[in-house]
């Protein structure tokens, strides 16, 4: 005689139900790494997003390294950390780094000496995926920061158009003042290549600000960004011309490190001022 079909179906479902109950038990008792997976992945995604979208992330990280004693030289740190909000950002970043490191360490311990749930094939696959993502984040740290700068600056290029056009048509040769720039000093006097702004330009209220402007021999206009975008240059170059290493009006060498086109002759550029221009 054959067993009824409904009894046979119930017998087939029992192993699945039993496995689900065991999985829930292991999860509740901390024997399954799902919670650690979610925590670690969330920290990873939040950190990557923070790197891209926060113009102050590099400064926040530098201050965190200094406060933790990972670096002893604090001479290059800016003063943004003096505010309460900046201190909270440093604290939150430190907390995220600790939680990410601890959760990844617990996962490492779990797959080597943990319970069966931690040593399952799926656990190994997730752990290796997370580890690869963390390695990728560390290796592409600078690229993410650069990509974030490009996204932020690209949306403000239009605000620089009129200033660049005005300077291209009438470049100052001596100290002076203009509505879009405010007062400035021109170097060298009489054959100026560099304009040093004495006040913050009006456009800083709605977008990135800049502290000086350089003019290239080919007629290009270089804006040295400051504030939260410090360390980058926004440049306009005439057709056929591109960013290159140069010596400014103050005889400071700028060695080209990287540049990316933003369209219509505009480039986002990074220079190393410590290197000598060949």
């Amino acid at each position: 005689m054959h067993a009824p079909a409904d009894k046979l179906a119930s017998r087939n479902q029992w192993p699945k139900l039993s496995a689900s109950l065991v999985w829930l038990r292991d999860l509740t008792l901390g024997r399954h790494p799902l919670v650690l997976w979610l925590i670690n992945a969330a920290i990873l995604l939040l950190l990557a997003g923070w790197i891209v979208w926060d113009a102050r992330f590099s400064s926040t990280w530098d201050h965190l390294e200094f406060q933790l004693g990972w670096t002893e030289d604090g001479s290059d740190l800016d003063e943004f950390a003096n505010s309460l909000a900046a201190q909270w950002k440093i604290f939150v970043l430190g907390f995220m780094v600790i939680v990410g490191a601890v959760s990844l360490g617990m996962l490492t311990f779990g797959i080597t000496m943990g319970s069966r749930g931690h040593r399952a094939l799926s656990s190994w696959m997730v752990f290796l995926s997370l580890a690869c993502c963390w390695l990728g984040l560390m290796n592409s740290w600078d690229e993410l920061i650069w990509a974030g700068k490009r996204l932020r600056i690209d949306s403000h290029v239009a605000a620089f158009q009129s200033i660049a056009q005005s300077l291209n048509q009438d470049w100052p040769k001596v100290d002076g003042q203009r509505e879009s720039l405010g007062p400035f000093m021109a170097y060298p006097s009489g054959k100026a290549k560099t304009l040093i702004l004495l006040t913050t330009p009006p456009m800083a209220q709605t977008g990135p600000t800049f502290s000086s402007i350089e003019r290239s021999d080919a007629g290009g206009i270089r804006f040295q960004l400051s504030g939260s975008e410090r360390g980058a240059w926004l440049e306009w170059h005439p057709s056929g011309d591109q960013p290159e290493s140069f010596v400014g009006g103050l005889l400071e060498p700028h060695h080209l490190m990287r540049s990316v086109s933003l369209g219509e002759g505009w480039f986002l550029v990074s220079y190393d001022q410590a290197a000598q221009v060949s």
Side-chain angles (χ1 to χ4, degrees):
M1 296 181 63
H2 297 283
D6 56 344
K7 291 185 177 181
L8 184 60
S10 63
R11 290 178 182 177
N12 292 335
Q13 292 177 358
W14 173 247
K16 298 180 180 179
L17 179 60
S18 177
S20 299
L21 292 174
V22 171
W23 185 84
L24 289 174
R25 182 202 65 186
D26 291 343
L27 179 61
T28 304
L29 298 178
R31 298 176 182 175
H32 196 281
L34 177 61
V35 174
L36 291 176
W37 295 348
L38 296 176
I39 292 175
N40 194 263
I43 294 295
L44 179 66
L45 293 175
L46 288 173
L47 189 58
W50 191 349
I51 293 172
V52 172
W53 292 110
D54 186 6
R56 288 287 191 181
F57 179 82
S58 295
S59 297
T60 305
W61 179 258
D62 291 340
H63 278 277
L64 177 63
E65 285 187 321
F66 181 72
Q67 293 185 12
L68 293 178
W70 294 350
T71 178
E72 297 180 356
D73 184 12
S75 59
D76 293 335
L77 300 178
D78 58 29
E79 298 179 354
F80 100 104
N82 294 334
S83 66
L84 180 61
Q87 288 293 334
W88 269 105
K89 287 174 64 176
I90 296 172
F91 172 79
V92 171
L93 179 58
F95 177 78
M96 291 175 61
V97 171
I98 292 174
V99 172
V102 170
S103 60
L104 193 62
M106 292 176 66
L107 288 172
T108 304
F109 177 83
I111 63 173
T112 55
M113 292 178 287
S115 61
R116 183 179 61 181
H118 284 267
R119 292 182 285 108
L121 178 60
S122 59
S123 298
W124 274 94
M125 294 178 64
V126 174
F127 170 77
L128 291 176
S129 298
L130 288 172
C132 289
C133 288
W134 278 106
L135 289 174
L137 179 65
M138 290 186 289
N139 288 332
S140 61
W141 192 280
D142 292 336
E143 295 299 326
L144 288 175
I145 293 175
W146 183 250
K149 282 185 178 294
R150 178 181 179 180
L151 290 173
R152 291 189 300 272
I153 299 301
D154 193 25
S155 61
H156 293 285
V157 169
F160 288 82
Q161 290 275 10
S162 59
I163 301 177
Q165 184 177 5
S166 174
L167 292 173
N168 186 48
Q169 295 174 352
D170 182 18
W171 178 261
K173 297 182 180 180
V174 296
D175 300 349
Q177 180 173 345
R178 293 195 178 182
E179 182 179 356
S180 58
L181 303 177
F184 58 83
M185 294 188 297
Y187 294 95
S189 181
K191 297 181 179 180
K193 294 179 59 179
T194 302
L195 305 181
I196 305 296
L197 274 61
L198 301 179
T199 59
T200 303
M203 66 174 298
Q205 299 177 1
T206 58
T209 184
F210 53 95
S211 58
S212 67
I213 307 173
E214 296 273 354
R215 180 180 174 89
S216 71
D217 295 335
I221 307 296
R222 304 183 176 105
F223 296 90
Q224 184 177 16
L225 302 180
S226 58
S228 60
E229 302 295 350
R230 184 181 64 174
W233 293 66
L234 180 61
E235 303 184 3
W236 174 84
H237 290 271
S239 179
D241 188 32
Q242 291 186 350
E244 60 182 4
S245 301
F246 70 97
V247 176
L250 298 178
L251 303 181
E252 294 181 340
H254 297 73
H255 180 71
L256 179 65
M257 294 179 61
R258 65 170 67 185
S259 66
V260 58
S261 175
L262 302 179
E264 298 182 357
W266 287 94
F267 296 84
L268 181 63
V269 190
S270 175
Y271 294 100
D272 181 7
Q273 292 185 240
Q276 295 294 325
V277 179
S278 58

